[in-house]
Amino acid sequence: MNKLEFTEFLGLIRAWSLFMTPAASIIGIGYANYLGLIHNYLEILYFVLAVLGALLLHMSVNVLNDYYDVNQGVDSMESPTARYRPHPILTGKVSLPTARALGFSLMGLGVVIGIYLVLIEGLWILIFGLLGVFLLYAYTGPPFTLKYRGLGEISVALTWGPLLIGGFFVATSMGILKPAILLVSIPPMLIMFAIIYANNYRDRNFDSRAGVKSLAVLTSRYGYGIYVASLITAFIITVILTAAKITPFTSLIAIATASMVPGLIKDFRANKYDIDARTGRLYTIFCILYGVGMIINSLI
């Protein structure tokens, strides 16, 4: 693969966005460690495999999202999304068939790793994996096209919230599921919702002309309030979880990222073209601090 081809590959998988997945994984392993469920290095190996599989699936959904949006006439060179990031399909450097083949190949590799983990760790990995793969594909993939029906923001939030974080927890704990991990995943889920909502809100005029009825299009009149409420509620729940002794007090280190929120709210109101990427940085840093805080607790 020459330099140009590799550059286009990085653009297709949106390499800069992939940090969110390993960041979310730190919460899974952090909470498993907090509950005392990590006993040997084999569990760490399964955790690493789960991260690798999730990264492959994350890459696949990025590629397929662009493929279906271009194929359905949603994305164009005039779209806001083409202003702040490389879009190799729109520029003609990568054909639609090539993008489609890459997207499904990456998904297939991720599924293979998932099948192996299912054989080792059992039912819960299967459930989290099947739901995750379905929602990742169904975001823009036919016949579901959840993004176009007002369900995309919710589906992505669920995927990068309870499903992904819960899956990492189960992979690390050798198949054990503690329902509390679903509560722990709510703050990241709300921030992820804000990311996708901001992305679709920015694109609402283009999406609407293409017949796409994303939640951001349907609720555009209340968009500012929805975005702000999602972020603020994430931090309120973080504090509540600690007060209820579901998470350790050290996890409150994640509250430090609240300093980023005023700037994000200002940029959302100004309809900045990179508001989704900027909110994505909040998600990444929040997840890292949230998870590391849980790990630190065991060292005190």
Side-chain angles (χ1 to χ4, degrees):
M1 181 177 288
N2 59 44
K3 183 176 181 180
L4 176 62
E5 291 174 334
F6 184 65
T7 300
E8 303 311 327
F9 172 76
L10 293 179
L12 277 171
I13 64 173
R14 305 182 208 173
W16 61 91
S17 74
L18 300 179
F19 295 104
M20 292 189 293
T21 292
S25 76
I26 297 175
I27 300 173
I29 192 171
Y31 200 61
N33 181 71
Y34 170 62
L35 297 182
L37 297 176
I38 300 178
H39 304 105
N40 56 60
Y41 289 109
L42 193 59
E43 292 164 341
I44 304 299
L45 172 62
Y46 294 143
F47 166 76
V48 172
L49 285 175
V51 174
L52 177 59
L55 277 171
L56 289 166
L57 293 174
H58 188 170
M59 294 178 198
S60 76
V61 75
N62 284 346
V63 176
L64 291 175
N65 181 29
D66 280 355
Y67 165 78
Y68 285 116
D69 276 350
V70 173
N71 196 45
Q72 297 293 331
V74 177
D75 280 353
S76 67
M77 288 303 296
E78 291 73 39
S79 301
T81 190
R83 291 179 55 192
Y84 80 95
R85 67 175 178 90
H87 203 312
I89 303 176
L90 284 179
T91 58
K93 294 179 179 179
V94 176
S95 68
L96 282 171
T98 298
R100 184 178 186 275
L102 175 63
F104 281 109
S105 296
L106 291 168
M107 182 175 287
L109 291 172
V111 168
V112 168
I113 293 176
I115 290 172
Y116 174 76
L117 290 174
V118 167
L119 295 175
I120 297 296
E121 301 195 330
L123 180 63
W124 285 116
I125 283 289
L126 176 63
I127 292 173
F128 281 110
L130 286 177
L131 288 173
V133 170
F134 168 74
L135 290 178
L136 286 172
Y137 170 77
Y139 180 66
T140 50
F144 310 102
T145 57
L146 298 179
K147 173 185 174 181
Y148 309 156
R149 305 171 190 271
L151 296 172
E153 291 88 343
I154 295 172
S155 69
V156 173
L158 287 172
T159 301
W160 264 269
L163 292 180
L164 193 62
I165 294 171
F168 287 134
F169 177 88
V170 170
T172 308
S173 62
M174 293 298 292
I176 296 173
L177 175 65
K178 296 292 185 180
I181 189 61
L182 304 180
L183 297 175
V184 170
S185 70
I186 291 176
M189 178 186 73
L190 290 169
I191 298 174
M192 178 54 68
F193 175 86
I195 295 171
I196 305 304
Y197 189 87
N199 176 84
N200 292 340
Y201 185 84
R202 179 201 61 206
D203 296 345
R204 64 193 183 282
N205 294 328
F206 288 85
D207 286 349
S208 182
R209 287 200 292 268
V212 174
K213 297 179 179 179
S214 68
L215 185 63
V217 169
L218 296 173
T219 63
S220 60
R221 181 178 178 182
Y222 310 101
Y224 177 77
I226 291 173
Y227 179 79
V228 172
S230 298
L231 294 181
I232 292 177
T233 304
F235 289 98
I236 291 173
I237 292 179
T238 301
V239 174
I240 291 174
L241 289 172
T242 300
K245 298 184 179 180
I246 294 173
T247 54
F249 76 94
T250 48
S251 65
L252 289 176
I253 189 176
I255 297 296
T257 58
S259 63
M260 301 171 65
V261 172
L264 290 172
I265 291 174
K266 180 180 178 181
D267 288 344
F268 184 91
R269 185 184 284 278
N271 204 33
K272 290 291 183 69
Y273 64 87
D274 63 344
I275 183 60
D276 55 339
R278 289 168 57 81
T279 313
R281 285 196 286 273
L282 170 63
Y283 177 91
T284 300
I285 299 171
F286 178 92
C287 287
I288 291 172
L289 293 179
Y290 196 36
V292 167
M294 297 176 195
I295 294 172
I296 289 175
N297 182 78
S298 65
L299 303 177
I300 296 177

